[in-house]
Amino acid sequence: MSVSTAMVSERATASVATSQSQRGSVSVNSLTKMFGPVKAVDDVSLSIEPGEFVALLGPSGSGKSTLLMMIAGFEVSSSGDIMLDGVRINDVPSYRRGFGMVFQSYALFPHMTIAENIAYPLRRRGLSGGDVEREVTKALKLVALDGYGTRLPSQLSGGQQQRVALARALVFRPPLLLMDEPLGALDRKLRQQLQMEIKLIHKEVGSTIIFVTHDQEEALSMADRVAVLERGRLQQCGTPRELYEQPATAFVADFIGEMNFLPVELRQAGGEICARSADLSLEVVQEASQVLTSGDRGLLAVRPEYIGLTPDERATATVLESAYTGTNQSVLVQVGCIRLTARTSVSPGRPLFQSGQRVRIEIDAAHTRVFPAAR
Amino acid sequence: MPHRRDTSGWVRLVPVLLLLPVVILFSVGYVVPLAQLVLKSLRHDGAWSLNSYIEIANSPAFLWIVLRTIALAATVTIVCLLIAYPLAYAISKCPPRPAAFLLVIVTLPYLTSVLIRTYAWIVLLSPNGPINQLLLHLGLISEPLQMVFNSIGVYIGMVQIQLPLMVFPLYAVLARVNPSLAKAAQSLGSPPTDAFLRVTLPASMPGVISGCTLVFLSSLGFYITPELLGGPDSYLIAQGISLRVLILGNFDEAAAQSSILMLTVIAVFLVFRQRIAEELDDRPHNNIPLAGKSTSGLSARWPILERLTAVLHGPSMRLHEALTVVGRPALYVSAGLTLLLLVLPFVVVIPLAFSDAPYLTFPPPGYSLRWFSSLLKNTQWLDALSFSLRWAGLSALLSVAIGVPAAFALVRYRFSARVPVYLLLISPLIVPHVVIAVSLFFALAGSSLIGNPLAFALSYTIIGAPYTVVVMIAGLKRFNRTLELAAASLGSSPLVTLRTVTLPLLLPTLASAALFAFIVGFDDVVFGLFLSGPTATPLPMRMWDNIRLEISPQIAVIAVLFLIVLALLMLLRLFVSAVVQSRRPQESLHH
Ligand SMILES: Nc1ncnc2c1ncn2[C@@H]1O[C@H](COP(=O)(O)OP(=O)(O)OP(=O)(O)O)[C@@H](O)[C@H]1O
Ligand SMILES: [Mg+2]
C-alpha cells in the first residue's frame, strides 16, 4: 500500500514537469465526504476531459466547496477515488498535486509584492533569477496588470487582486485550475468583465478548469459543462443547453432558468407514461422512464416561453399580473388553483395582456418534462 | 474500502510533539512542586496529619487575615469595575486612532513593574507628598493625612495597579458589542441611557465577569503592594505565608496556608473555566442569556412588576432623558479621572529621577543627573541589572520557544486534552506567585539550585510562558488560514509554508509574546525573595531592598530607564509590523 502510494506521488509530481498537452483529465469516482453524520458530498462521480471548463453549480451548502477542496487535497475524502490522468491521487498531499487554485478571498500574501506573489510558486519549483522575472512579467501581461509588480496587494482594487490571484495560480502552468467562487466578492459589472477575461485566458492557456459558483447565469455563460449539485448529490452534468432543455431532475429543472410545475396524475400505458392535469384538461404522453409508475402523482415542468396565451372571453384562465420587459411580456395566469408564468413575445401592434383578462392556455407538449412528485 | 490518509497516525502525534516541551517543563517546575506543597501541608513529624490545618483553624489571627484579604480583594474589584467601566466604554466609542492611543496609556502602567508603581504611590501618598501638599494648599485639611503604611495606601495602590486588568476585558467586549444594537434600540424608542441599560450593559456582562474574576483572583495573592504600602496591622495572606517561610521558618503552616490560597483560587478558576476556555475558540461572546422566557417568547415578569413599569413609564422616560443630558459629560469626566489615576505614578517618578537632592523629596528642589551617575557607579546595581537582563531575556526566548508550538497545537488541532492543557498553561496567570515561589523554594531546598540563576530561568519561564501562549493564540486565531492553503496549492510543503508565509506574518505577534514574557520575568520580586543568593540577585531585589531600607530617587532613575526601553521596544514592535505590512517596493524580486 505504502509502496504504491509512493509511486503514485512520484508520478503525480513527475507529471507536473512534463509537457502541458493532453494533461489535466480529472475524474472522481463515487466520492463521498462525511462531516460527522452530515454527507457534504454524497457518492459523486464525474469525469472531466483535458482542457474542459466545468462549473460546479448548486445552492449554498450543496457541497461544491467540499468537492473542490477534496480535489485540491485540502479535505480528505471519506470514500471514493480522485484520479488525475488515470492516476489515483487521493493520497498525494495538496502541495504535490500541482493544481492552481483561486480563492474567493484572493488569498494574496499581504507581506509580498505582486511580483513576489506571482514568483512564489516558481521559486517553490526551483526557478530563480531571470527565469522568474520573465515568467512573472508574462503572467502580469496575461492578466493585463503589467507594471503593477512592485505594488503590495493592499494597494490594488478587488478586481485587480483577483486577477493577480489568477496570474499566480496560472504562472506555473498547472494542468488543472480550481476556482472557488472567484468572483463572489466583486460587483456585477466587474464580475461580467472578469468572466470574459477568464474565458479568454482559458482559451489561451488551455488548462482544465473547475469553477465553483452559485450563480447559474455565470455557470451557463462560462462553462463547457455544468455539474449541478444538491445536498451533496450530483443531479446532472451536461452542457448548458442540455441542462436547460433536458433537465434530468425536477431540482435541475427548477434551479436552471424559470420553470412552471403543474401537478399531474400519471398513468402507465405500455412503454409510455401519460400525465393528465385536470385543471388544464391537458394530457401529455412521454416515454416512461424507470422512476415513473402509474398512479403516482407527478409534476409537469414547462418553461414560460412554451406556454401560449390567446385572449378568449369564454376561457377559465385569468391574467393576474403582467410585466413588460421590452421584447417580452411575462404574464402570471391563474387557472383553477394553479398559477403559471408565461412569456410571450411582444409584436408591434398587438395589445399587451391586462390583469383580469381571460385567456386560453396552450402548452407545447413537446417541450414539457414529467417528474415524480415526491421530491 | 475506506481511504484514509495513511499518515493519520502521525498527524495525531503532531500536537503531542508540539506540546511536549511545555508540558514537561510545567510538570517538573510547576505541577510537581505544587503537588509536593499540598502533600507537605498534610504531613507532620513524618506522618500524615491535618495538624497544620487544625492549628490554622484555631488561630483567630489567621481568620482575620483571611477576612481582611477577601475584603480587600472584593473592594478593589468593585472599585476597579466602577471606575474602569466608563473608561472602557469611552474608549470603545472612540475612533480607532484615539482608541489605540488611550489603550497604550492603559497598557503602559500595566507593563511597568508593580514595584515602580508602588514606589510612586509611597511618594504620592506620604505625609509631605504631593497629594497632602495639594490638599493642604487648598485648605481642605489642616494637617497631613496618614495615607501610607496603613490600609488606605494599600487600597489606593491596589486599585491603580489592578485597573488595567479590568479595563482590557471590558474594552474587548464593549468594542465587540455591535454599535448598531444600541442604535436599533434607540430607533425602537429607547432613550440612549435606557438603550445602554437594556442592550449594551447586558451584552458586556462577559467582560464584567472576566475582569472581576481576574482582578479578584490576582488581588487574593498580592504581595508587593500590601507589603510596601501597608502597615504591620494590615497583613494579608501572601505576607503571612512569606513571613512564615522567610522569617519564622514555620514551613508546615506556610505549606497549609499556601495550599488553602492556591486551592481557593483554582476552585474559582475552574468555576469560570467555561468562559475562560471560550477564549480558545471563536464562539460568540455577547450572547445574552435569555432567562425566564415564557411561551410567548417575551421574558416572563411578575404581573405586579409589569404594572409598576407601566405606571412608572412616563417619569422613567423623563429621567432617562435627563440622564442623557448629563450622561455624556459625566462619562467623559469619569473616564478622564480614571486615566489620570493610571498615569499619576509617572507624573512623580519622572521628575524625581532628575532630582538633585541627596534624599527623597517631592517636588525636587532642583534638577540634575546625579542619580543617573550614581547608578552607573554602583556595581551592585549594574550587576543586578545585567543579571536580570540576561536571565529574563533567556527565559523570554525559552517561553517563546515552548509557548509558540503549544499555541499552534491548541489552536490548530482538536484532541481530548485540549481544554485541560490550555487551562494548565494559563493557570500561572492566576495562581499567586507567592505560592509558586514557596513551592519551588521547598522543592529546591537543600539542592544547590537556590541562589542559582537556573532557578530564576525556570521560574521566569513558568510565569512568562502563559503570556506567550495567550498572545500567540490570539494571533493565530486572527490569522487567515486561506493563505496557508494558497501556499500549499502553489507547491509549498507545510514547513516551507511556515517559513515563508505563517511566521513572517506572525512576526509582530511573536515580538509581543517575547516582550510580555521578558517583562514578567524582569519585573519579578516574589521569586527573587525566595530564590536569591549572593551570586544571583536580580534588579527588582535591589530595588526592593532600597525601597524598604532607605527609599531614594535611585528607583525613579531605574523607572525612567525602564520606560525609555519600553518605549523603544514598542516603537520597534510598531516598526516590525510596519515592515511586515509594507516592504519597500524596490526589493520586489530580489531577496
Ligand atoms: N468543516 C466542516 N465541518 C462540518 N461540516 C461542514 C464543514 N465544511 C462544510 N460542512 C458542511 O458540508 C455541507 C457542504 O458545505 P460546502 O461548504 O461544501 O457548501 P457550498 O456548496 O460550498 O456552499 P456555499 O455556496 O455556501 O459556499 C454544508 O452542509 C456544510 O455545513
Ligand atoms: Mg463554498
Side-chain angles (χ1 to χ4, degrees):
Chain A
M1 174 73 191
S2 62
V3 172
S4 75
T5 310
M7 275 170 54
V8 165
S9 22
E10 207 130 281
R11 283 180 56 187
T13 351
S15 71
V16 172
T18 59
S19 90
Q20 174 98 35
S21 61
Q22 289 313 297
R23 287 194 305 121
S25 85
V26 182
S27 65
V28 299
N29 304 326
S30 311
L31 201 62
T32 297
K33 174 68 187 181
M34 315 277 299
F35 286 114
V38 179
K39 270 191 181 164
V41 170
D42 186 0
D43 195 21
V44 168
S45 297
L46 186 65
S47 85
I48 299 169
E49 298 296 313
E52 214 180 354
F53 191 138
V54 171
L56 297 182
L57 178 65
S60 184
S62 56
K64 309 178 294 286
S65 296
T66 309
L67 178 55
L68 198 76
M69 288 296 172
M70 285 193 287
I71 296 173
F74 297 135
E75 290 283 3
V76 185
S77 56
S78 305
S79 66
D81 300 321
I82 306 166
M83 319 280 282
L84 175 69
D85 298 325
V87 179
R88 187 171 179 276
I89 56 166
N90 288 45
D91 300 316
V92 179
S94 56
Y95 59 92
R96 306 250 298 264
R97 291 191 187 186
F99 302 160
M101 178 124 189
V102 178
F103 299 84
Q104 179 173 358
S105 56
Y106 322 132
L108 298 180
F109 304 128
H111 59 305
M112 298 181 192
T113 60
I114 300 308
E116 263 321 322
N117 263 282
I118 298 175
Y120 190 90
L122 301 173
R123 296 200 193 284
R124 301 285 85 74
R125 285 163 176 76
L127 265 68
S128 60
D131 293 342
V132 171
E133 216 148 338
R134 200 170 47 247
E135 293 295 323
V136 169
T137 313
K138 238 196 295 180
L140 280 171
K141 190 164 269 160
L142 183 71
V143 295
L145 281 177
D146 8 10
Y148 283 79
T150 55
R151 299 215 194 169
L152 284 166
S154 55
Q155 297 167 322
L156 297 189
S157 72
Q160 290 171 328
Q161 290 188 37
Q162 195 54 288
R163 282 191 289 195
V164 174
L166 191 61
R168 187 179 68 173
L170 285 170
V171 70
F172 57 101
R173 299 197 182 84
L176 172 63
L177 178 62
L178 306 171
M179 302 198 220
D180 192 353
E181 308 214 18
L183 310 179
L186 304 176
D187 65 46
R188 198 179 149 74
K189 205 161 156 51
L190 209 51
R191 264 179 101 103
Q192 286 171 344
Q193 186 191 340
L194 273 165
Q195 284 170 4
M196 293 307 290
E197 281 182 36
I198 290 174
K199 277 188 80 167
L200 286 175
I201 288 171
H202 175 233
K203 272 216 186 94
E204 200 168 329
V205 300
S207 296
T208 310
I209 293 185
I210 305 181
F211 185 101
V212 166
T213 176
H214 62 245
D215 177 348
Q216 52 138 327
E217 220 173 288
E218 187 167 278
L220 296 182
S221 68
M222 293 180 78
D224 299 327
R225 279 195 301 152
V226 178
V228 181
L229 288 168
E230 191 223 5
R231 279 189 265 149
R233 296 196 69 98
L234 180 62
Q235 300 285 316
Q236 185 174 11
C237 180
T239 62
R241 189 155 182 187
E242 278 167 2
L243 293 186
Y244 194 81
E245 294 178 356
Q246 296 147 29
T249 65
F251 175 81
V252 177
D254 191 24
F255 194 68
I256 308 281
E258 257 184 284
M259 188 65 90
N260 292 292
F261 287 99
L262 310 176
V264 287
E265 253 164 61
L266 303 178
R267 205 155 29 78
Q268 184 100 31
E272 298 192 316
I273 191 101
C274 175
R276 226 181 67 81
S277 161
D279 286 308
L280 285 174
S281 49
L282 171 84
E283 267 199 14
V284 174
V285 178
Q286 272 181 16
E287 252 177 68
S289 63
Q290 63 274 40
V291 269
L292 298 180
T293 47
S294 343
D296 275 354
R297 301 200 56 80
L299 288 172
L300 182 77
V302 53
R303 298 217 179 262
E305 56 267 37
Y306 298 117
I307 299 180
L309 300 180
T310 332
D312 183 347
E313 281 313 313
R314 286 158 304 155
T316 48
T318 319
V319 174
L320 289 177
E321 201 51 76
S322 68
Y324 171 68
T325 59
T327 52
N328 288 319
Q329 188 184 16
S330 288
V331 185
L332 182 64
V333 190
Q334 173 104 35
V335 47
C337 48
I338 308 172
R339 283 182 182 185
L340 292 176
T341 307
R343 187 167 311 116
T344 59
S345 53
V346 175
S347 40
R350 212 182 75 184
L352 297 174
F353 290 98
Q354 306 290 334
S355 334
Q357 194 176 2
R358 299 249 165 196
V359 289
R360 199 170 63 240
I361 296 177
E362 281 149 58
I363 290 178
D364 184 349
H367 290 106
T368 61
R369 292 184 76 82
V370 179
F371 299 105
R375 272 242 125 237
Chain B
M1 174 186 127
H3 298 296
R4 301 177 121 235
R5 231 190 281 185
D6 40 36
T7 49
S8 63
W10 278 101
V11 168
R12 209 163 304 157
L13 268 185
V14 171
V16 177
L17 292 176
L18 291 174
L19 285 168
L20 207 56
V22 78
V23 167
I24 289 179
L25 191 95
F26 267 57
S27 304
V28 172
Y30 178 63
V31 178
V32 168
L34 286 178
Q36 283 175 335
L37 179 79
V38 176
L39 286 183
K40 187 181 180 68
S41 73
L42 294 170
R43 293 185 74 86
H44 190 71
D45 292 336
W48 295 105
S49 123
L50 287 175
N51 199 21
S52 316
Y53 289 93
I54 294 167
E55 230 155 82
I56 289 176
N58 286 331
S59 135
F62 179 71
L63 292 181
W64 275 117
I65 286 180
V66 168
L67 279 182
R68 204 181 290 134
T69 307
I70 291 176
L72 172 91
T75 314
V76 167
T77 306
I78 291 167
V79 174
C80 278
L81 176 65
L82 292 179
I83 64 177
Y85 200 104
L87 178 61
Y89 184 76
I91 299 178
S92 79
K93 289 273 166 268
C94 277
R97 265 169 197 282
F101 173 73
L102 291 177
L103 281 176
V104 167
I105 293 196
V106 180
T107 311
L108 211 57
Y110 178 66
L111 292 178
T112 308
S113 130
V114 172
L115 206 49
I116 290 175
R117 284 189 281 162
T118 306
Y119 165 81
W121 281 109
I122 297 178
V123 179
L124 277 162
L125 298 173
S126 66
N128 53 2
I131 292 182
N132 267 318
Q133 285 174 33
L134 182 71
L135 293 178
L136 283 170
H137 187 76
L138 292 175
L140 291 174
I141 50 176
S142 52
E143 57 187 68
L145 292 175
Q146 184 61 39
M147 293 186 290
V148 75
F149 307 128
N150 59 20
S151 31
I152 301 176
V154 179
Y155 275 87
I156 296 177
M158 290 279 288
V159 164
Q160 195 269 349
I161 281 162
Q162 302 286 46
L163 248 180
L165 227 44
M166 184 67 88
V167 176
F168 294 138
L170 283 177
Y171 169 75
V173 169
L174 283 168
R176 257 195 309 240
V177 172
N178 190 345
S180 54
L181 276 182
K183 290 225 174 69
Q186 284 184 39
S187 77
L188 296 172
S190 278
T193 52
D194 185 57
F196 170 80
L197 288 180
R198 282 176 200 276
V199 177
T200 312
L201 190 62
S204 65
M205 276 325 278
V208 172
I209 293 173
S210 312
C212 288
T213 315
L214 271 177
V215 170
F216 183 77
L217 288 182
S218 57
S219 299
L220 280 183
F222 231 74
Y223 176 76
I224 300 168
T225 312
E227 177 73 8
L228 291 180
L229 278 176
D233 56 335
S234 56
Y235 257 38
L236 301 179
I237 190 161
Q239 292 165 278
I241 293 169
S242 66
L243 180 78
R244 274 176 180 72
V245 176
L246 296 174
I247 314 264
L248 303 177
N250 187 345
F251 293 164
D252 290 350
E253 258 183 50
Q257 292 191 2
S258 302
S259 303
I260 292 173
L261 178 58
M262 173 181 76
L263 295 176
T264 312
V265 167
I266 288 181
V268 179
F269 182 62
L270 287 181
V271 167
F272 288 100
R273 71 180 181 281
Q274 220 69 47
R275 172 134 284 138
I276 296 163
E278 267 174 25
E279 293 296 316
L280 205 50
D281 298 312
D282 282 319
R283 253 172 285 165
H285 287 250
N286 40 4
N287 41 2
I288 307 161
L290 286 170
K293 248 200 320 186
S294 66
T295 46
S296 68
L298 296 168
S299 40
R301 289 200 284 181
W302 292 4
I304 179 111
L305 215 61
E306 200 77 55
R307 194 128 0 113
L308 206 63
T309 34
V311 170
L312 289 178
H313 180 74
S316 96
M317 286 308 248
R318 271 192 292 283
L319 178 67
H320 277 304
E321 272 154 28
L323 275 178
T324 306
V325 176
V326 295
R328 196 151 289 268
L331 172 70
Y332 288 134
V333 167
S334 145
L337 287 177
T338 309
L339 274 180
L340 183 66
L341 182 66
L342 278 168
V343 299
L344 213 47
F346 301 110
V347 175
V348 294
V349 158
I350 295 172
L352 209 53
F354 300 92
S355 167
D356 71 348
Y359 49 87
L360 191 93
T361 167
F362 194 90
Y367 293 95
S368 76
L369 289 177
R370 65 178 285 179
W371 289 100
F372 283 86
S373 57
S374 100
L375 177 73
L376 290 179
K377 277 186 230 126
N378 188 327
T379 52
Q380 271 195 332
W381 284 88
L382 293 180
D383 285 348
L385 176 64
S386 99
F387 180 91
S388 278
L389 284 177
R390 202 155 354 121
W391 294 101
L394 180 79
S395 307
L397 292 182
L398 206 56
S399 297
V400 169
I402 64 175
V404 170
F408 265 92
L410 291 171
V411 173
R412 297 278 174 97
Y413 296 87
R414 296 288 174 272
F415 46 94
S416 46
R418 186 163 162 265
V419 170
V421 167
Y422 172 67
L423 293 179
L424 169 72
L425 294 188
I426 63 165
S427 65
L429 294 176
I430 55 116
V431 172
H433 287 182
V434 167
V435 175
I436 307 176
V438 167
S439 79
L440 273 175
F441 176 77
F442 288 149
L444 302 179
S447 78
S448 60
L449 280 173
I450 298 274
N452 186 313
L454 287 178
F456 283 96
L458 176 71
S459 32
Y460 290 171
T461 307
I462 281 168
I463 56 176
Y467 285 90
T468 60
V469 169
V470 167
V471 170
M472 267 321 274
I473 282 179
L476 280 173
K477 274 182 7 189
R478 276 197 310 269
F479 186 80
N480 175 10
R481 285 203 74 182
T482 310
L483 295 177
E484 290 177 350
L485 297 188
S489 81
L490 299 171
S492 269
S493 67
L495 280 180
V496 175
T497 303
L498 190 69
R499 179 170 62 76
T500 56
V501 176
T502 316
L503 288 183
L505 285 172
L506 285 174
L507 213 56
T509 311
L510 282 169
S512 295
L515 178 63
F516 269 105
F518 174 78
I519 285 178
V520 170
F522 190 76
D523 283 352
D524 166 77
V525 172
V526 172
F527 286 90
L529 280 176
F530 292 91
L531 303 176
S532 291
T535 57
T537 310
L539 182 66
M541 283 313 295
R542 286 269 172 259
M543 294 161 68
W544 175 260
D545 289 340
N546 179 291
I547 294 175
R548 284 171 47 112
L549 302 178
E550 49 177 329
I551 190 148
S552 71
Q554 195 69 84
I555 309 286
V557 170
I558 307 254
V560 165
L561 293 178
F562 178 85
L563 283 176
I564 291 172
V565 172
L566 197 62
L568 287 178
L569 286 176
M570 280 178 145
L571 282 179
L572 182 72
R573 196 197 163 289
L574 276 182
F575 179 72
V576 167
S577 38
V579 166
V580 168
Q581 293 308 312
S582 62
R583 269 187 21 201
R584 276 185 307 137
Q586 289 90 298
E587 20 176 354
S588 65
L589 271 179
H590 311 283
H591 278 294

